[in-house]
Coordinates of all heavy atoms in Angstrom, one line a residue:
M77 N -40.1 -14.6 10.9 CA -38.9 -14.3 10.2 C -37.7 -14.6 11.1 O -37.6 -14.1 12.2 CB -38.9 -12.9 9.7 CG -37.7 -12.6 8.7 SD -37.9 -11.1 7.9 CE -39.2 -11.5 6.7
P78 N -36.7 -15.4 10.6 CA -35.6 -15.8 11.5 C -34.6 -14.7 11.9 O -33.9 -14.8 12.8 CB -34.9 -16.9 10.8 CG -35.3 -16.7 9.4 CD -36.6 -16.1 9.3
Y79 N -34.7 -13.6 11.2 CA -33.7 -12.5 11.3 C -34.4 -11.2 11.9 O -34.0 -10.1 11.5 CB -32.9 -12.2 10.1 CG -32.2 -13.5 9.6 CD1 -32.6 -14.0 8.4 CD2 -31.2 -14.1 10.3 CE1 -32.0 -15.1 8.0 CE2 -30.6 -15.2 9.8 CZ -31.0 -15.8 8.6 OH -30.4 -16.9 8.2
E80 N -35.4 -11.4 12.7 CA -36.0 -10.2 13.2 C -35.2 -9.5 14.2 O -34.5 -10.0 15.0 CB -37.4 -10.6 13.8 CG -38.4 -11.1 12.8 CD -39.8 -11.1 13.4 OE1 -40.0 -10.3 14.2 OE2 -40.5 -12.0 12.9
S81 N -35.2 -8.1 14.0 CA -34.4 -7.3 14.8 C -35.0 -7.2 16.2 O -36.2 -7.3 16.4 CB -34.4 -5.9 14.2 OG -33.8 -5.0 15.1
R82 N -34.1 -7.2 17.2 CA -34.6 -7.1 18.6 C -34.6 -5.7 19.1 O -34.2 -5.4 20.2 CB -33.7 -8.0 19.4 CG -33.8 -9.5 19.0 CD -33.0 -10.4 20.0 NE -32.9 -11.7 19.4 CZ -32.0 -12.3 19.0 NH1 -30.8 -11.7 18.9 NH2 -32.1 -13.6 18.6
G83 N -34.9 -4.9 18.3 CA -35.0 -3.4 18.7 C -33.7 -2.6 18.4 O -33.7 -1.4 18.5
K84 N -32.6 -3.3 18.1 CA -31.4 -2.5 17.8 C -31.0 -2.8 16.4 O -30.8 -3.9 15.9 CB -30.2 -3.1 18.7 CG -30.4 -2.8 20.2 CD -29.2 -3.2 21.0 CE -29.4 -2.9 22.4 NZ -28.2 -3.4 23.3
G85 N -30.9 -1.7 15.6 CA -30.5 -1.8 14.2 C -31.6 -2.4 13.4 O -32.8 -2.5 13.8
D86 N -31.3 -2.8 12.3 CA -32.2 -3.3 11.4 C -32.1 -4.9 11.1 O -31.3 -5.5 11.9 CB -32.3 -2.6 10.0 CG -30.9 -2.9 9.2 OD1 -30.0 -3.6 9.7 OD2 -30.8 -2.3 8.1
I87 N -32.8 -5.4 10.2 CA -32.8 -6.9 10.0 C -31.4 -7.4 9.5 O -31.0 -8.5 9.9 CB -33.8 -7.2 8.9 CG1 -34.1 -8.7 9.0 CG2 -33.4 -6.8 7.5 CD1 -35.5 -9.0 8.2
L88 N -30.6 -6.5 8.8 CA -29.2 -7.0 8.5 C -28.3 -7.1 9.7 O -27.5 -8.0 9.7 CB -28.7 -6.0 7.5 CG -29.3 -6.0 6.1 CD1 -28.7 -5.1 5.1 CD2 -29.5 -7.4 5.5
T89 N -28.5 -6.3 10.7 CA -27.7 -6.4 11.9 C -28.0 -7.7 12.6 O -27.0 -8.4 13.0 CB -28.0 -5.2 12.8 OG1 -27.7 -4.0 12.2 CG2 -27.2 -5.3 14.1
A90 N -29.3 -8.0 12.6 CA -29.7 -9.4 13.2 C -29.0 -10.5 12.4 O -28.5 -11.5 12.9 CB -31.1 -9.5 13.3
L91 N -29.1 -10.4 11.0 CA -28.6 -11.4 10.2 C -27.1 -11.6 10.4 O -26.6 -12.8 10.6 CB -28.7 -11.1 8.7 CG -28.0 -11.9 7.7 CD1 -28.4 -13.4 7.7 CD2 -28.1 -11.3 6.3
Y92 N -26.3 -10.5 10.4 CA -24.8 -10.6 10.5 C -24.3 -10.9 11.9 O -23.1 -11.2 12.0 CB -24.2 -9.4 9.9 CG -24.4 -9.3 8.4 CD1 -24.9 -8.1 7.9 CD2 -24.1 -10.3 7.6 CE1 -25.2 -8.0 6.5 CE2 -24.3 -10.2 6.2 CZ -24.9 -9.0 5.7 OH -25.1 -9.0 4.3
H93 N -25.2 -10.9 12.9 CA -24.8 -11.4 14.2 C -25.3 -12.8 14.5 O -25.2 -13.2 15.7 CB -25.4 -10.4 15.2 CG -24.5 -9.2 15.3 ND1 -24.8 -8.1 14.5 CD2 -23.4 -8.8 16.0 CE1 -24.0 -7.1 14.7 NE2 -23.1 -7.6 15.6
S94 N -25.9 -13.5 13.5 CA -26.5 -14.8 13.8 C -25.5 -15.9 13.6 O -24.5 -15.8 12.9 CB -27.7 -15.0 12.8 OG -27.2 -15.3 11.5
A95 N -25.7 -17.0 14.3 CA -24.9 -18.2 14.1 C -24.9 -18.7 12.7 O -24.0 -19.2 12.2 CB -25.4 -19.2 15.2
A96 N -26.1 -18.7 12.1 CA -26.3 -19.2 10.7 C -25.3 -18.4 9.8 O -24.7 -19.0 8.9 CB -27.7 -19.0 10.3
W97 N -25.1 -17.0 10.0 CA -24.3 -16.2 9.1 C -22.8 -16.7 9.3 O -22.0 -16.8 8.4 CB -24.4 -14.8 9.3 CG -23.4 -14.0 8.5 CD1 -22.4 -13.3 9.1 CD2 -23.3 -13.9 7.1 NE1 -21.6 -12.8 8.1 CE2 -22.2 -13.2 6.8 CE3 -24.0 -14.5 6.1 CZ2 -21.7 -12.9 5.6 CZ3 -23.6 -14.2 4.8 CH2 -22.5 -13.4 4.5
R98 N -22.4 -16.9 10.7 CA -21.1 -17.2 10.9 C -20.7 -18.6 10.3 O -19.6 -18.7 9.7 CB -20.9 -17.3 12.5 CG -20.8 -15.9 13.1 CD -20.4 -16.0 14.6 NE -21.3 -16.7 15.4 CZ -22.3 -16.2 16.0 NH1 -22.7 -14.9 15.8 NH2 -23.2 -16.9 16.8
T99 N -21.7 -19.5 10.2 CA -21.5 -20.8 9.6 C -21.3 -20.6 8.1 O -20.4 -21.1 7.4 CB -22.6 -21.7 9.9 OG1 -22.6 -22.0 11.4 CG2 -22.4 -23.1 9.2
C100 N -22.2 -19.8 7.5 CA -22.2 -19.5 6.1 C -20.9 -18.9 5.6 O -20.2 -19.3 4.7 CB -23.4 -18.7 5.7 SG -23.4 -18.1 4.0
R101 N -20.5 -17.9 6.5 CA -19.2 -17.1 6.2 C -18.0 -18.0 6.2 O -17.2 -18.0 5.3 CB -19.1 -16.1 7.2 CG -17.9 -15.2 7.0 CD -17.9 -14.1 8.1 NE -16.7 -13.2 7.8 CZ -15.4 -13.5 8.2 NH1 -15.2 -14.6 8.7 NH2 -14.4 -12.6 7.8
A102 N -18.0 -19.0 7.1 CA -16.8 -19.9 7.3 C -16.9 -20.9 6.1 O -15.8 -21.2 5.5 CB -17.0 -20.7 8.6
L103 N -18.0 -21.4 5.7 CA -18.2 -22.3 4.5 C -17.7 -21.5 3.2 O -16.9 -22.1 2.4 CB -19.6 -22.7 4.4 CG -20.1 -23.7 5.4 CD1 -21.6 -23.9 5.2 CD2 -19.4 -25.1 5.2
C104 N -18.1 -20.3 3.1 CA -17.7 -19.5 1.8 C -16.2 -19.3 1.8 O -15.6 -19.4 0.8 CB -18.5 -18.2 1.7 SG -20.2 -18.5 1.5
L105 N -15.6 -18.8 3.0 CA -14.2 -18.6 2.9 C -13.4 -19.8 2.6 O -12.5 -19.9 1.9 CB -13.8 -18.0 4.3 CG -14.3 -16.6 4.6 CD1 -14.0 -16.3 6.1 CD2 -13.5 -15.6 3.7
N106 N -13.9 -21.0 3.2 CA -13.2 -22.3 3.0 C -13.3 -22.7 1.5 O -12.4 -23.2 0.9 CB -13.6 -23.4 3.9 CG -13.1 -23.1 5.3 OD1 -12.0 -22.6 5.5 ND2 -13.8 -23.5 6.3
R107 N -14.6 -22.6 1.0 CA -14.8 -23.0 -0.4 C -14.0 -22.2 -1.4 O -13.6 -22.7 -2.3 CB -16.3 -22.7 -0.7 CG -16.8 -22.9 -2.1 CD -18.1 -22.3 -2.5 NE -18.0 -20.9 -2.4 CZ -19.1 -20.1 -2.2 NH1 -20.3 -20.6 -2.1 NH2 -18.9 -18.7 -2.2
D108 N -13.8 -20.9 -1.1 CA -13.1 -20.0 -2.0 C -11.6 -19.9 -1.7 O -10.8 -19.2 -2.3 CB -13.7 -18.6 -2.1 CG -15.1 -18.6 -2.6 OD1 -15.5 -19.5 -3.4 OD2 -15.9 -17.8 -2.2
G109 N -11.1 -20.7 -0.7 CA -9.7 -20.8 -0.3 C -9.2 -19.5 0.2 O -8.0 -19.2 0.1
H110 N -10.0 -18.7 0.9 CA -9.7 -17.3 1.4 C -9.1 -16.5 0.4 O -8.2 -15.7 0.7 CB -8.7 -17.6 2.7 CG -9.5 -18.0 3.8 ND1 -9.9 -17.2 4.8 CD2 -9.7 -19.3 4.3 CE1 -10.4 -18.0 5.7 NE2 -10.4 -19.2 5.4
Q111 N -9.5 -16.7 -0.9 CA -9.1 -15.8 -2.0 C -10.2 -15.1 -2.6 O -11.3 -15.6 -2.8 CB -8.3 -16.7 -3.0 CG -7.0 -17.2 -2.7 CD -6.3 -17.7 -3.9 OE1 -6.9 -18.3 -4.8 NE2 -5.0 -17.6 -3.9
C112 N -10.0 -13.8 -3.0 CA -11.0 -13.0 -3.7 C -11.3 -13.7 -4.9 O -10.4 -14.1 -5.8 CB -10.4 -11.6 -3.9 SG -11.6 -10.5 -4.8
V113 N -12.7 -13.9 -5.2 CA -13.0 -14.6 -6.4 C -12.8 -13.7 -7.7 O -12.9 -14.2 -8.8 CB -14.5 -15.0 -6.4 CG1 -14.6 -16.1 -5.3 CG2 -15.5 -13.9 -6.2
R114 N -12.6 -12.4 -7.5 CA -12.4 -11.4 -8.6 C -11.0 -11.2 -8.9 O -10.5 -11.3 -10.1 CB -13.1 -10.1 -8.3 CG -14.6 -10.3 -8.2 CD -15.3 -9.0 -8.0 NE -16.7 -9.2 -7.8 CZ -17.6 -8.3 -7.7 NH1 -17.3 -7.0 -7.8 NH2 -18.9 -8.6 -7.4
C115 N -10.1 -10.9 -8.0 CA -8.7 -10.6 -8.2 C -7.7 -11.6 -7.7 O -6.5 -11.6 -7.9 CB -8.4 -9.2 -7.6 SG -8.3 -9.1 -5.9
H116 N -8.2 -12.6 -6.9 CA -7.4 -13.7 -6.4 C -6.5 -13.3 -5.3 O -5.6 -14.1 -5.0 CB -6.7 -14.5 -7.5 CG -7.7 -14.9 -8.6 ND1 -8.7 -15.9 -8.4 CD2 -7.9 -14.5 -9.9 CE1 -9.4 -16.0 -9.5 NE2 -8.9 -15.1 -10.4
K117 N -6.6 -12.2 -4.7 CA -5.7 -11.8 -3.5 C -6.3 -12.5 -2.3 O -7.5 -12.9 -2.3 CB -5.8 -10.3 -3.3 CG -5.0 -9.5 -4.4 CD -5.1 -8.1 -4.1 CE -4.3 -7.3 -5.1 NZ -4.3 -5.8 -4.8
T118 N -5.6 -12.5 -1.3 CA -6.0 -13.1 0.0 C -7.2 -12.2 0.5 O -7.2 -11.0 0.4 CB -4.9 -13.0 1.0 OG1 -3.8 -13.8 0.6 CG2 -5.4 -13.5 2.4
A119 N -8.3 -12.9 0.9 CA -9.5 -12.1 1.3 C -10.1 -12.7 2.6 O -9.9 -13.9 2.9 CB -10.5 -12.2 0.2
N120 N -10.8 -11.9 3.3 CA -11.6 -12.4 4.5 C -12.9 -11.8 4.6 O -13.6 -11.9 5.6 CB -10.7 -12.2 5.7 CG -10.6 -10.6 5.9 OD1 -11.1 -9.8 5.2 ND2 -9.9 -10.3 7.0
T121 N -13.5 -11.3 3.5 CA -14.9 -10.7 3.5 C -15.8 -11.6 2.7 O -15.4 -11.9 1.5 CB -14.8 -9.2 2.9 OG1 -14.0 -8.5 3.7 CG2 -16.2 -8.7 2.9
V122 N -17.0 -11.8 3.2 CA -17.9 -12.6 2.4 C -19.0 -11.6 2.0 O -19.6 -10.9 2.8 CB -18.5 -13.8 3.2 CG1 -19.6 -14.5 2.5 CG2 -17.4 -14.8 3.5
H123 N -19.4 -11.6 0.8 CA -20.3 -10.6 0.2 C -21.5 -11.3 -0.4 O -21.3 -12.4 -1.0 CB -19.5 -9.8 -0.9 CG -20.4 -8.9 -1.7 ND1 -20.9 -7.8 -1.3 CD2 -20.9 -9.0 -3.0 CE1 -21.6 -7.2 -2.2 NE2 -21.6 -7.9 -3.2
H124 N -22.7 -10.8 -0.2 CA -23.8 -11.3 -0.9 C -23.9 -10.8 -2.3 O -23.8 -9.6 -2.6 CB -25.1 -10.8 -0.2 CG -25.5 -11.6 1.0 ND1 -25.1 -11.1 2.3 CD2 -26.1 -12.8 1.2 CE1 -25.6 -12.1 3.2 NE2 -26.1 -13.1 2.5
K125 N -24.0 -11.7 -3.2 CA -24.1 -11.4 -4.7 C -25.5 -10.8 -4.9 O -26.4 -11.0 -4.1 CB -24.1 -12.7 -5.5 CG -22.7 -13.4 -5.5 CD -22.7 -14.5 -6.3 CE -22.5 -15.9 -5.6 NZ -22.4 -17.0 -6.5
P126 N -25.7 -10.0 -5.9 CA -27.0 -9.5 -6.2 C -28.1 -10.6 -6.2 O -27.8 -11.7 -6.7 CB -26.9 -8.8 -7.7 CG -25.4 -8.6 -7.7 CD -24.7 -9.6 -6.9
P127 N -29.2 -10.4 -5.7 CA -29.8 -9.1 -5.4 C -29.5 -8.5 -4.0 O -30.0 -7.5 -3.7 CB -31.3 -9.4 -5.4 CG -31.5 -10.8 -5.0 CD -30.2 -11.5 -5.5
G128 N -28.6 -9.2 -3.2 CA -28.3 -8.7 -1.9 C -29.1 -9.3 -0.8 O -30.2 -9.9 -1.0
A129 N -28.6 -9.2 0.4 CA -29.2 -9.9 1.6 C -30.6 -9.4 1.9 O -31.5 -10.2 2.1 CB -28.4 -9.7 2.8
R130 N -30.8 -8.1 1.8 CA -32.2 -7.6 2.2 C -33.2 -8.0 1.2 O -34.4 -8.5 1.6 CB -32.1 -6.1 2.2 CG -33.3 -5.4 2.8 CD -33.1 -3.9 2.9 NE -32.0 -3.3 3.5 CZ -31.9 -3.1 4.9 NH1 -33.0 -3.4 5.7 NH2 -30.8 -2.6 5.4
A131 N -32.9 -8.1 -0.1 CA -33.9 -8.6 -1.1 C -34.0 -10.1 -0.9 O -35.2 -10.5 -1.1 CB -33.3 -8.2 -2.5
L132 N -33.0 -10.8 -0.6 CA -33.2 -12.2 -0.4 C -34.2 -12.6 0.8 O -35.1 -13.4 0.6 CB -31.9 -12.9 -0.1 CG -30.9 -13.0 -1.3 CD1 -29.5 -13.4 -0.8 CD2 -31.4 -13.9 -2.4
I133 N -34.0 -11.8 1.8 CA -34.9 -12.0 3.0 C -36.3 -11.6 2.6 O -37.3 -12.3 2.9 CB -34.4 -11.1 4.2 CG1 -33.1 -11.6 4.7 CG2 -35.5 -11.1 5.3 CD1 -32.4 -10.8 5.7
A134 N -36.5 -10.5 1.9 CA -37.9 -10.0 1.5 C -38.6 -11.0 0.6 O -39.8 -11.2 0.8 CB -37.7 -8.6 0.7
R135 N -37.8 -11.7 -0.2 CA -38.5 -12.7 -1.1 C -38.5 -14.1 -0.6 O -39.0 -15.0 -1.2 CB -38.0 -12.6 -2.4 CG -36.6 -13.2 -2.6 CD -36.1 -13.1 -4.1 NE -35.0 -13.9 -4.3 CZ -34.1 -13.7 -5.3 NH1 -34.5 -12.8 -6.3 NH2 -33.1 -14.5 -5.5
G136 N -38.1 -14.2 0.7 CA -38.2 -15.5 1.5 C -37.0 -16.5 1.1 O -37.1 -17.6 1.6
D137 N -36.0 -16.1 0.5 CA -34.8 -16.9 0.3 C -33.9 -16.9 1.5 O -33.9 -15.8 2.3 CB -34.0 -16.4 -0.9 CG -34.7 -16.8 -2.2 OD1 -35.4 -17.8 -2.3 OD2 -34.6 -16.0 -3.2
D138 N -33.1 -17.8 1.7 CA -32.1 -17.9 2.8 C -30.9 -17.1 2.4 O -30.1 -17.6 1.7 CB -31.9 -19.3 3.2 CG -31.0 -19.4 4.4 OD1 -30.7 -18.4 5.1 OD2 -30.5 -20.6 4.7
P139 N -30.6 -16.0 3.1 CA -29.4 -15.3 2.8 C -28.2 -15.9 3.3 O -27.0 -15.5 3.0 CB -29.6 -13.9 3.5 CG -30.5 -14.2 4.7 CD -31.4 -15.3 4.1
C140 N -28.4 -17.0 4.2 CA -27.2 -17.8 4.7 C -26.9 -19.0 3.9 O -26.2 -19.9 4.4 CB -27.4 -18.1 6.1 SG -27.5 -16.6 7.2
D141 N -27.4 -19.1 2.7 CA -27.1 -20.1 1.7 C -25.8 -19.7 1.0 O -25.8 -18.6 0.4 CB -28.2 -20.4 0.8 CG -28.1 -21.5 -0.2 OD1 -26.9 -21.9 -0.4 OD2 -29.0 -22.1 -0.6
P142 N -24.7 -20.5 1.0 CA -23.5 -20.1 0.4 C -23.6 -19.8 -1.1 O -22.8 -19.1 -1.6 CB -22.6 -21.2 0.6 CG -23.1 -21.8 1.9 CD -24.6 -21.7 1.8
M143 N -24.7 -20.3 -1.8 CA -24.8 -20.1 -3.2 C -25.0 -18.6 -3.5 O -24.8 -18.0 -4.6 CB -25.8 -20.8 -3.8 CG -27.3 -20.5 -3.5 SD -28.4 -21.5 -4.4 CE -29.6 -20.3 -5.0
W144 N -25.5 -17.8 -2.5 CA -25.8 -16.3 -2.7 C -24.6 -15.5 -2.3 O -24.6 -14.2 -2.3 CB -26.9 -15.9 -1.8 CG -28.2 -16.6 -2.2 CD1 -29.0 -17.3 -1.4 CD2 -28.9 -16.4 -3.4 NE1 -30.1 -17.8 -2.1 CE2 -30.1 -17.2 -3.4 CE3 -28.7 -15.6 -4.6 CZ2 -31.1 -17.2 -4.4 CZ3 -29.6 -15.7 -5.6 CH2 -30.8 -16.5 -5.5
C145 N -23.4 -16.1 -1.9 CA -22.3 -15.4 -1.3 C -21.0 -15.6 -2.1 O -20.9 -16.7 -2.7 CB -22.1 -15.7 0.1 SG -23.5 -15.4 1.2
E146 N -20.1 -14.7 -2.0 CA -18.7 -14.9 -2.6 C -17.7 -14.3 -1.7 O -18.0 -13.3 -1.0 CB -18.7 -14.2 -4.0 CG -19.0 -12.8 -4.0 CD -19.2 -12.2 -5.4 OE1 -18.9 -12.9 -6.3 OE2 -19.6 -11.1 -5.5
T147 N -16.5 -14.7 -1.7 CA -15.5 -14.1 -1.0 C -14.8 -13.1 -1.7 O -14.4 -13.2 -3.0 CB -14.4 -15.2 -0.7 OG1 -15.0 -16.3 0.1 CG2 -13.2 -14.7 0.2
L148 N -14.6 -11.9 -1.2 CA -13.9 -10.7 -1.8 C -12.9 -10.1 -1.0 O -13.0 -10.1 0.3 CB -15.0 -9.7 -2.1 CG -16.1 -10.0 -3.1 CD1 -17.1 -8.9 -3.3 CD2 -15.6 -10.4 -4.5
C149 N -11.9 -9.5 -1.5 CA -10.9 -8.7 -0.8 C -11.6 -7.4 -0.5 O -12.6 -7.0 -1.0 CB -9.7 -8.5 -1.6 SG -9.8 -7.4 -3.0
H150 N -10.9 -6.6 0.3 CA -11.3 -5.3 0.8 C -11.6 -4.4 -0.4 O -12.7 -3.7 -0.5 CB -10.4 -4.7 1.8 CG -10.8 -3.4 2.3 ND1 -11.7 -3.3 3.3 CD2 -10.3 -2.1 2.1 CE1 -11.9 -2.0 3.5 NE2 -11.1 -1.3 2.9
H151 N -10.7 -4.3 -1.3 CA -10.9 -3.4 -2.5 C -12.1 -3.9 -3.4 O -13.0 -3.0 -3.7 CB -9.6 -3.5 -3.3 CG -9.6 -2.7 -4.6 ND1 -9.3 -1.3 -4.6 CD2 -9.9 -3.1 -5.8 CE1 -9.5 -1.0 -5.8 NE2 -9.8 -2.0 -6.6
C152 N -12.2 -5.1 -3.7 CA -13.2 -5.6 -4.6 C -14.6 -5.5 -3.9 O -15.6 -5.3 -4.5 CB -13.0 -6.9 -5.0 SG -11.6 -7.1 -6.2
H153 N -14.6 -5.7 -2.6 CA -15.8 -5.5 -1.8 C -16.4 -4.1 -1.9 O -17.6 -3.8 -2.0 CB -15.7 -6.0 -0.4 CG -16.9 -6.0 0.4 ND1 -17.2 -5.2 1.5 CD2 -18.1 -6.7 0.2 CE1 -18.4 -5.4 1.9 NE2 -19.0 -6.4 1.2
G154 N -15.5 -3.2 -1.8 CA -15.9 -1.7 -1.9 C -16.4 -1.5 -3.3 O -17.5 -0.8 -3.4
E155 N -15.8 -2.0 -4.3 CA -16.3 -1.8 -5.6 C -17.7 -2.5 -5.9 O -18.6 -2.0 -6.5 CB -15.4 -2.4 -6.7 CG -14.1 -1.5 -6.9 CD -13.2 -2.0 -8.0 OE1 -13.4 -3.2 -8.4 OE2 -12.4 -1.2 -8.4
A156 N -17.9 -3.7 -5.3 CA -19.1 -4.4 -5.4 C -20.2 -3.7 -4.7 O -21.4 -3.8 -5.2 CB -19.0 -5.9 -4.8
D157 N -20.0 -3.0 -3.6 CA -21.0 -2.3 -3.0 C -21.2 -1.0 -3.5 O -22.0 -0.1 -3.0 CB -20.7 -2.2 -1.4 CG -21.0 -3.5 -0.6 OD1 -21.8 -4.3 -1.1 OD2 -20.5 -3.6 0.5
G158 N -20.5 -0.6 -4.6 CA -20.7 0.7 -5.2 C -20.0 1.8 -4.5 O -20.2 3.0 -4.8
A159 N -19.2 1.5 -3.5 CA -18.5 2.5 -2.7 C -17.2 2.8 -3.4 O -16.6 2.0 -4.2 CB -18.3 2.0 -1.2
K160 N -16.5 3.8 -3.0 CA -15.2 4.1 -3.5 C -14.3 3.1 -3.0 O -14.3 2.7 -1.7 CB -14.8 5.5 -3.0 CG -13.5 5.9 -3.5 CD -13.2 7.3 -3.0 CE -11.7 7.7 -3.4 NZ -11.4 9.0 -2.9
A161 N -13.5 2.4 -3.8 CA -12.6 1.4 -3.4 C -11.5 1.9 -2.4 O -11.1 3.1 -2.7 CB -11.9 0.7 -4.5
H162 N -11.2 1.3 -1.4 CA -10.3 1.7 -0.4 C -8.9 1.2 -0.8 O -8.7 0.1 -1.1 CB -10.6 1.2 1.0 CG -11.9 1.7 1.5 ND1 -12.2 3.0 1.8 CD2 -13.1 1.1 1.6 CE1 -13.4 3.2 2.3 NE2 -14.0 1.9 2.0
P163 N -7.8 2.1 -0.7 CA -6.5 1.6 -1.0 C -6.0 0.6 0.1 O -6.5 0.7 1.2 CB -5.7 2.9 -1.0 CG -6.5 3.8 -0.2 CD -7.8 3.5 -0.4
E164 N -5.1 -0.2 -0.3 CA -4.5 -1.1 0.7 C -3.9 -0.4 1.8 O -3.2 0.7 1.5 CB -3.5 -2.1 0.1 CG -4.1 -3.0 -1.0 CD -5.0 -4.1 -0.3 OE1 -4.7 -4.5 0.8 OE2 -6.0 -4.4 -0.9
K165 N -4.0 -0.7 3.0 CA -3.4 -0.1 4.2 C -1.9 -0.4 4.2 O -1.6 -1.6 4.0 CB -4.1 -0.4 5.4 CG -5.4 0.1 5.6 CD -6.1 -0.2 6.9 CE -7.5 0.3 7.0 NZ -8.1 0.0 8.2
T166 N -1.1 0.6 4.4 CA 0.4 0.3 4.6 C 0.7 0.2 6.0 O 0.1 1.0 6.8 CB 1.2 1.3 3.9 OG1 0.8 2.6 4.4 CG2 1.0 1.3 2.4
P167 N 1.6 -0.6 6.4 CA 1.9 -0.7 7.9 C 2.6 0.5 8.3 O 3.4 1.2 7.6 CB 2.9 -1.9 7.9 CG 3.2 -2.4 6.6 CD 2.2 -1.6 5.6
K168 N 2.2 1.0 9.6 CA 2.8 2.2 10.1 C 4.1 1.8 10.8 O 4.3 0.8 11.4 CB 1.9 2.8 11.1 CG 0.6 3.3 10.5 CD -0.3 3.9 11.6 CE -1.6 4.4 11.1 NZ -2.4 4.9 12.1
V169 N 5.1 2.7 10.7 CA 6.4 2.5 11.3 C 6.3 3.1 12.6 O 5.9 4.2 12.9 CB 7.5 3.2 10.5 CG1 8.8 3.1 11.2 CG2 7.6 2.7 9.1
N170 N 6.6 2.3 13.7 CA 6.5 2.8 15.0 C 7.4 3.9 15.3 O 8.4 4.1 14.7 CB 6.5 1.6 16.0 CG 7.9 1.0 16.2 OD1 8.9 1.8 16.1 ND2 8.0 -0.3 16.4
R171 N 7.1 4.7 16.4 CA 7.9 5.9 16.6 C 9.4 5.5 17.0 O 10.2 6.2 16.6 CB 7.3 6.6 17.9 CG 7.7 7.9 18.1 CD 7.1 8.6 19.3 NE 5.8 8.2 19.5 CZ 5.0 8.6 20.5 NH1 5.4 9.5 21.3 NH2 3.7 8.2 20.5
F172 N 9.6 4.4 17.7 CA 11.0 4.1 18.0 C 11.8 3.9 16.7 O 12.9 4.4 16.6 CB 11.0 2.8 18.9 CG 12.4 2.2 19.1 CD1 13.3 2.9 20.0 CD2 12.9 1.2 18.5 CE1 14.5 2.4 20.2 CE2 14.1 0.6 18.6 CZ 14.9 1.3 19.5
L173 N 11.2 3.0 15.8 CA 11.9 2.7 14.6 C 12.1 3.9 13.8 O 13.2 4.2 13.2 CB 11.1 1.7 13.9 CG 11.8 1.2 12.6 CD1 13.3 0.6 12.9 CD2 11.0 0.0 12.0
R174 N 11.2 4.9 13.7 CA 11.3 6.1 13.0 C 12.4 6.9 13.5 O 13.2 7.5 12.8 CB 10.0 6.8 13.0 CG 9.9 7.9 12.0 CD 8.5 8.5 11.9 NE 7.8 8.3 13.1 CZ 6.5 7.9 13.2 NH1 5.8 7.9 12.1 NH2 5.9 7.8 14.3
T175 N 12.6 7.0 14.9 CA 13.6 7.8 15.5 C 15.0 7.2 15.2 O 15.9 7.9 14.9 CB 13.4 7.8 17.1 OG1 12.1 8.3 17.3 CG2 14.5 8.6 17.7
V176 N 15.1 5.9 15.3 CA 16.4 5.2 15.0 C 16.8 5.4 13.5 O 17.9 5.8 13.3 CB 16.3 3.7 15.3 CG1 17.5 2.9 14.8 CG2 16.1 3.5 16.8
L177 N 15.8 5.3 12.6 CA 16.1 5.5 11.3 C 16.5 6.9 10.9 O 17.4 7.2 10.1 CB 15.0 5.0 10.4 CG 14.6 3.6 10.3 CD1 13.3 3.3 9.6 CD2 15.8 2.7 9.8
S178 N 16.0 7.9 11.6 CA 16.3 9.3 11.3 C 17.6 9.7 11.8 O 18.2 10.6 11.3 CB 15.2 10.2 11.8 OG 15.1 10.2 13.3
K179 N 18.1 9.0 12.8 CA 19.4 9.3 13.4 C 20.5 8.5 12.9 O 21.7 8.7 13.2 CB 19.3 9.1 14.9 CG 18.4 10.2 15.6 CD 18.4 10.0 17.1 CE 17.4 11.0 17.7 NZ 17.4 10.9 19.1
S180 N 20.2 7.5 12.0 CA 21.3 6.7 11.5 C 22.1 7.6 10.5 O 21.5 8.3 9.8 CB 20.8 5.5 10.9 OG 19.9 5.7 9.8
P181 N 23.4 7.3 10.4 CA 24.3 8.1 9.5 C 23.9 7.7 8.1 O 23.6 6.6 7.8 CB 25.7 7.6 9.9 CG 25.5 6.3 10.6 CD 24.2 6.3 11.2
A182 N 24.0 8.7 7.2 CA 23.7 8.5 5.8 C 24.9 7.7 5.2 O 26.0 7.8 5.6 CB 23.7 9.9 5.1
R183 N 24.6 6.9 4.3 CA 25.6 5.9 3.7 C 25.9 6.4 2.3 O 25.3 7.0 1.5 CB 25.0 4.5 3.6 CG 24.8 4.0 5.0 CD 24.3 2.5 4.8 NE 24.1 2.1 6.2 CZ 24.0 0.9 6.5 NH1 24.4 -0.1 5.6 NH2 23.8 0.5 7.7

């Protein structure tokens, strides 16, 4: 099996650290124009469509075939994995800027 674990983690760890996955991921991102296929926001996550990577490996299919993958944004990827969707992160205001803004005169 091409994605055998080398004693650290499971088979998916080996898959996601392989050169074949990096190539597949790049092909999928380029194919989908770095846009989420569900909501069309900018995206950088490549997700295995059902039945998922572990099942594909178990039945002998190549999980690094782009036909099994789709580009998703962070929010949609959380929903696809059945996890609670994560809200978009807002940029933090650095301490210096916060101090300057708090001391500026009210208008």
